[in-house]
Amino acid sequence: MKIAIVGTGYVGLVTGTCFSEMGVDVTCVDVQESKIDNLKKGIIPIYEPGLDDLVHRNYKAGRLKFTTDLKECLNEVDVVFSAVGTPPDEDGSADLKYVLEVARTIGQNMNKYILVVTKSTVPVGTAQKVKNVIREELNKRNVNLDFDVASNPEFLKEGNAVDDFMKPDRVVVGIESEKAKSLMERLYKPFMLNNYRLIFTDIPSAEMIKYAANSMLATRISFMNDIANLCELVGADVNMVRKGIGADSRIGSKFLYPGCGYGGSCFPKDVKALIKTAEKNGYTMRVLKAVEEVNETQKGILFEKLVKLFNGDLNGKQIALWGLAFKPETDDMREAPALILIDKLIKAGAKVKAYDPIAMCECQRRIGNKIEYATDMYDAVLDADALLLVTEWKEFRLPSWGVLKKTMKQPVVIDGRNIYDRNELQEQGFHYTCIGK
């Protein structure tokens, strides 16, 4: 079976590579020549554990190809996945120009039946727009060709994307015809051998499922952060509260960890887009508006705790940051809480020295040399007035507190992810602050 994946970003490259690992003949397409050239040389544009080896192996085996020209492979493939970006527009809605451009190219150049599958996260109604654009281009050519559209939203977690794709908890596919269903069943069959998790729906429902899933997870995070902030005021311990409510089978324990806000490429963008979709249809998503508001406030909570600790004066203070990426196991800094924190610290006159195992090059690309970049986690805390844990990388979990105590100017730790033991740090002579205690 031959397929094309348009877009070699996070979703497209993981999708194409994992399909090729199962024996599918995959051509990955991207308009950026430099990216395609690098991929052919084995240079991967994103950091994702396990992806490098899969790309190299399948490219060498000839199952994974890279090109800048979608037209050249349309006569060979049965399915085209559109995995191009859908960045937020100025009003918060998803910008569909790249998705529709792919549809336009297909309509202008297809010569046989093709199933066009939207993999990007797109608002309800996008598949119909794709269908209309393809049909419009075919009509301009006076060509009457059969084709189908489908929606196949991705549910990949950055840092665990390869496993998520190879062993999915569910695969959602929105279809309109039995032919499209048959093709998608055949394509996903290798991933379903142990447990059939393929869910077929109508297309609008599939498009909505992705937004609803991410918005629910974002809601749980903001809810728990709201509860954590109240716990501090009333003297409760949010970790105990989290365990108590998570033990309820109706609630469960996932995504109930308080912290300094969510970021990344999905949650912020998808919550905004769903709010905007509702507005365009005359409805107000009141819960999601609150979710977004809580999260934006939470991104500043570490700064507020630091300001309070130093009586409002951070001018000239040396602040160490552990973690820059929005979550561990990725270099993604889109909507990362660290960016908000750094901006506030610099404006307050503080000096910032940061360390992240993977994301420092990405941070430097975004903000340049506004901060100092440490060579390791212990270099970051040298002469620091305070250490702020922003991203819970594994190597930060068991630091040598004795070394920190000797090298820091002031033994102050603000834990933005609640991974340390208050009693242990206080016994070592640290002033320790976390979220929700």
Side-chain angles (χ1 to χ4, degrees):
M1 192 172 188
K2 295 183 177 182
I3 68 172
I5 311 280
V6 187
T8 58
Y10 192 86
V11 174
L13 188 56
V14 172
T15 298
T17 303
C18 289
F19 274 133
S20 69
E21 178 71 3
M22 289 296 188
V24 180
D25 189 312
V26 180
T27 301
C28 286
V29 184
D30 201 291
V31 294
Q32 292 186 34
E33 288 187 20
S34 59
K35 186 185 284 189
I36 292 300
D37 288 342
N38 282 337
L39 282 165
K40 288 178 178 178
K41 296 172 186 174
I43 302 171
I44 311 301
I46 59 173
Y47 175 78
E48 180 60 38
L51 184 61
D52 282 42
D53 289 342
L54 288 182
V55 171
H56 294 154
R57 180 166 66 248
N58 287 286
Y59 180 70
K60 186 177 180 180
R63 289 187 297 269
L64 185 61
K65 306 176 188 69
F66 301 104
T67 182
T68 56
D69 192 354
L70 174 60
K71 293 178 287 185
E72 73 177 18
C73 63
L74 282 179
N75 289 332
E76 304 296 325
V77 300
D78 304 300
V79 184
V80 176
F81 283 85
S82 177
V84 294
T86 53
D89 217 334
E90 291 182 6
D91 63 355
S93 60
D95 186 346
L96 299 177
K97 62 183 177 184
Y98 302 117
V99 172
L100 298 181
E101 184 58 35
V102 171
R104 194 166 288 111
T105 300
I106 292 171
Q108 290 169 349
N109 296 280
M110 63 184 288
N111 294 302
K112 66 179 188 65
Y113 173 88
I114 291 177
L115 170 60
V116 181
V117 183
T118 303
K119 195 71 177 169
S120 310
T121 300
V122 294
V124 177
T126 299
Q128 187 59 49
K129 292 179 180 179
V130 167
K131 190 175 184 179
N132 292 343
V133 167
I134 295 173
R135 181 58 63 195
E136 179 183 320
E137 294 300 328
L138 289 173
N139 289 340
K140 287 179 183 178
R141 296 167 56 197
N142 292 318
V143 173
N144 185 22
L145 289 173
D146 190 22
F147 69 94
D148 277 310
V149 295
S151 174
N152 177 213
E154 55 88 14
F155 300 100
L156 306 178
K157 297 186 293 293
E158 291 190 47
N160 200 56
V162 172
D163 277 351
D164 283 347
F165 199 99
M166 301 300 279
K167 295 176 284 189
D169 53 13
R170 84 284 202 200
V171 174
V172 174
V173 182
I175 43 92
E176 290 181 328
S177 74
E178 285 300 316
K179 189 171 184 178
K181 182 179 180 181
S182 177
L183 275 171
M184 295 301 281
E185 280 181 323
R186 182 181 166 201
L187 194 55
Y188 276 109
K189 185 178 180 180
F191 304 91
M192 303 287 138
L193 296 180
N194 294 325
N195 184 17
Y196 192 83
R197 301 166 298 279
L198 197 52
I199 301 171
F200 285 102
T201 71
D202 58 84
I203 291 177
S205 296
E207 292 172 329
M208 179 60 80
I209 285 169
K210 169 66 176 182
Y211 280 107
N214 278 353
S215 295
M216 170 57 78
L217 296 175
T219 299
R220 286 171 70 94
I221 293 170
S222 280
F223 171 79
M224 212 60 218
N225 283 333
D226 234 6
I227 292 294
N229 296 338
L230 181 58
C231 282
E232 289 189 16
L233 297 174
V234 300
D237 183 336
V238 71
N239 284 336
M240 294 182 181
V241 174
R242 175 182 60 79
K243 290 175 184 176
I245 66 174
D248 188 326
S249 60
R250 296 168 300 176
I251 298 172
S253 60
K254 293 184 177 180
F255 283 81
L256 289 184
Y257 292 88
C260 50
Y262 61 75
S265 62
C266 293
F267 289 4
K269 176 173 69 74
D270 293 354
V271 168
K272 284 183 174 68
L274 194 52
I275 290 171
K276 185 56 60 175
T277 296
E279 289 176 357
K280 288 180 178 178
N281 287 274
Y283 188 75
T284 300
M285 302 294 283
R286 290 163 292 178
V287 172
L288 287 188
K289 283 191 171 186
V291 167
E292 189 176 38
E293 182 183 345
V294 167
N295 191 59
E296 289 308 304
T297 301
Q298 200 71 11
K299 286 183 178 181
I301 196 166
L302 298 187
F303 177 79
E304 298 303 325
K305 288 178 178 292
L306 191 65
V307 168
K308 185 177 180 181
L309 196 60
F310 286 98
N311 298 315
D313 183 15
L314 295 181
N315 191 45
K317 293 291 188 291
Q318 182 73 38
I319 308 302
L321 300 188
W322 279 358
L324 293 167
F326 87 95
K327 62 178 281 189
E329 301 299 333
T330 181
D331 63 350
D332 197 341
M333 288 192 66
R334 285 173 285 185
E335 302 281 349
L339 293 173
I340 303 295
L341 177 58
I342 288 170
D343 186 59
K344 288 179 178 290
L345 288 170
I346 291 173
K347 286 179 179 177
K351 299 174 184 178
V352 180
K353 192 172 185 179
Y355 175 73
D356 186 287
I358 298 295
M360 289 198 291
C361 288
E362 175 63 16
C363 188
Q364 194 164 28
R365 186 187 72 80
R366 287 175 173 270
I367 67 172
N369 293 318
K370 291 182 179 179
I371 64 172
E372 186 178 354
Y373 299 94
T375 56
D376 58 44
M377 59 191 282
Y378 294 106
D379 179 41
V381 301
L382 189 62
D383 295 325
D385 291 289
L387 165 63
L388 277 59
L389 177 85
V390 185
T391 313
E392 65 278 31
W393 286 90
K394 290 176 182 176
E395 65 187 77
F396 298 152
R397 292 183 184 180
L398 285 173
S400 174
W401 297 115
V403 172
L404 265 67
K405 185 74 181 298
K406 290 177 182 178
T407 55
M408 292 181 71
K409 187 183 297 182
Q410 300 189 59
V412 174
V413 175
I414 301 181
D415 182 356
R417 299 297 176 182
N418 287 10
I419 68 173
Y420 299 131
D421 183 272
R422 176 193 296 274
N423 293 331
E424 180 186 359
L425 268 75
Q426 287 179 342
E427 287 173 5
Q428 299 252 14
F430 284 88
H431 179 96
Y432 175 77
T433 304
C434 62
I435 308 291
K437 288 188 182 180

